[in-house]
Amino acid sequence: EEEEEDDDDDEEDGEETDAYEWESDPLRPFDPHDLWCEECNNAHPSVCPKHGPLHPIPNRPVLTRARASLPLVLYVDRFLGGVYSKRRIPKRTQFGPVEGPLVKKS
C-alpha cells in the first residue's frame, strides 16, 4: 500500500512541474494598443507569437441620427438627393421628430 501512495505523490509532483515550465514574457510598460491573449494570459504588441492572430468581428456601421430617426416609410435617396416615401402618405400625417442638421441647397 505504501508503494501505491508513493506513486500518487509522484503524479502530483509531475503536475506541479508542468505548471512551472511555463515562462511568461518579460514585463513591459502598459500600452493600451497591445492585444491581450487569453490563452497565454499576456499582452502582445501585435499577434501572439504562440497562438497566432485574433479573429476580429467588425462592428456594424452606425447610422447618423437623421437616418436612425427616419420613419420606416421614408428613405433617403442620395442619387436623386432627398427624402422620399415608399408608399402614399395620407393627408394630416405628422412625422417626427426627425432630427438632423439643416443643409443649404447648393
Side-chain angles (χ1 to χ4, degrees):
E1 288 180 28
E2 290 178 14
E3 290 178 18
E4 289 177 14
E5 288 178 13
D6 290 341
D7 291 342
D8 292 341
D9 291 341
D10 291 342
E11 289 175 12
E12 288 176 10
D13 291 341
E15 289 175 10
E16 288 178 14
T17 56
D18 290 344
Y20 292 112
E21 287 178 15
W22 177 79
E23 293 180 21
S24 65
D25 289 343
L27 292 176
R28 298 180 316 124
F30 172 74
D31 183 349
H33 302 290
D34 282 354
L35 300 175
W36 185 258
C37 178
E38 292 287 333
E39 301 297 321
C40 59
N41 203 28
N42 205 348
H44 303 283
S46 60
V47 174
C48 175
K50 184 175 181 182
H51 300 102
L54 298 174
H55 304 285
I57 298 174
N59 292 335
R60 292 181 12 202
V62 178
L63 298 174
T64 63
R65 187 168 180 137
R67 287 185 187 276
S69 64
L70 197 64
L72 294 175
V73 69
L74 302 178
Y75 68 96
V76 176
D77 189 319
R78 288 182 175 230
F79 182 71
L80 296 173
V83 178
Y84 296 89
S85 176
K86 296 176 184 176
R87 62 178 187 256
R88 186 181 161 289
I89 301 172
K91 288 183 184 182
R92 301 191 45 77
T93 300
Q94 180 180 3
F95 293 105
V98 178
E99 300 179 18
L102 184 60
V103 180
K104 292 184 178 180
K105 201 173 189 179
S106 51

